[in-house]
Amino acid sequence: MSDGDTPGSVLRELVAEAVDGDGGALLDGDSDLAERGDDPGPAARIPALVGAGNSVVGVVPHADTALARRLLGSDDGGDGDSKGVDAEGGRTIRLVFTGRAANRLTGPSGAVIRSILADHGVEAYRHSGDSRIGVLLVGDRAGVGLFDERGLAALLWSDAPAVREWAADTCRRYLSAAEPV
């Protein structure tokens, strides 16, 4: 990434290259983007993204407390009517933790984290690799996040079939190489 590139432009370019090599699927109006510093920022967009479907599958490379609260629908700043991830309503939730997030599952606080995930009905898996990109597949929508040393820097979400297909393939690839925790 050059000094002039924003996390959002880097993320859009990475997804465009992964999807079709020329970015066409991302230029047709079927995607949105939020970067750190936007109002609302990328982490604040996650509850609406996750609350949109009955099936959530994802690859999570970085897990911090604030992001986990938003993902699991227990953000203390909310109105108490969160639509985060839970086991109620027949949801299927599978998350593959890789990189720093996977290390947290087996580190000193791993037992507590695994218990919280289980309480929320999350099937958790550990992948031994590493990635700066996180992927969420929620129903017919895909979310792709770019992480840096400070956390979630940008989030792109899209209903474009090509992006969804790429996200599904990515999730399947990580899931097949992961182990349950």
Side-chain angles (χ1 to χ4, degrees):
M1 175 163 60
S2 72
D3 292 339
D5 292 336
T6 66
S9 66
V10 170
L11 179 59
R12 186 177 292 278
E13 185 177 319
L14 287 170
V15 173
E17 183 66 28
V19 169
D20 65 7
D22 68 6
L26 296 177
L27 299 176
D28 62 7
D30 287 338
S31 67
D32 290 299
L33 181 79
E35 295 181 273
R36 184 183 293 127
D38 289 351
D39 187 22
R45 305 289 183 125
I46 289 177
L49 175 65
V50 172
N54 286 330
S55 174
V56 178
V57 180
V59 177
V60 181
H62 183 97
D64 61 47
T65 305
L67 189 58
R69 283 186 181 131
R70 290 179 188 273
L71 179 63
L72 297 174
S74 57
D75 187 12
D76 295 332
D79 60 6
D81 189 29
S82 176
K83 294 187 185 284
V85 175
D86 61 46
E88 297 175 19
R91 281 190 173 203
T92 302
I93 306 155
R94 290 186 187 99
L95 297 178
V96 177
F97 295 86
T98 189
R100 291 172 60 183
N103 293 340
R104 290 192 72 181
L105 288 177
T106 58
S109 59
V112 172
I113 294 169
R114 291 189 306 271
S115 175
I116 291 169
L117 291 171
D119 288 348
H120 282 83
V122 176
E123 294 177 30
Y125 298 83
R126 185 179 188 284
H127 184 273
S128 62
D130 200 5
S131 177
R132 291 181 45 211
I133 303 294
V135 179
L136 285 176
L137 185 60
V138 184
D140 290 334
R141 180 165 284 177
V144 185
L146 176 66
F147 290 82
D148 63 15
E149 62 282 346
R150 295 184 348 198
L152 184 60
L155 177 68
L156 179 144
W157 60 101
S158 178
D159 294 329
V163 177
R164 186 188 184 293
E165 183 179 317
W166 169 78
D169 288 344
T170 300
C171 289
R172 276 192 291 273
R173 190 173 61 251
Y174 272 87
L175 192 56
S176 70
E179 61 187 39
V181 293

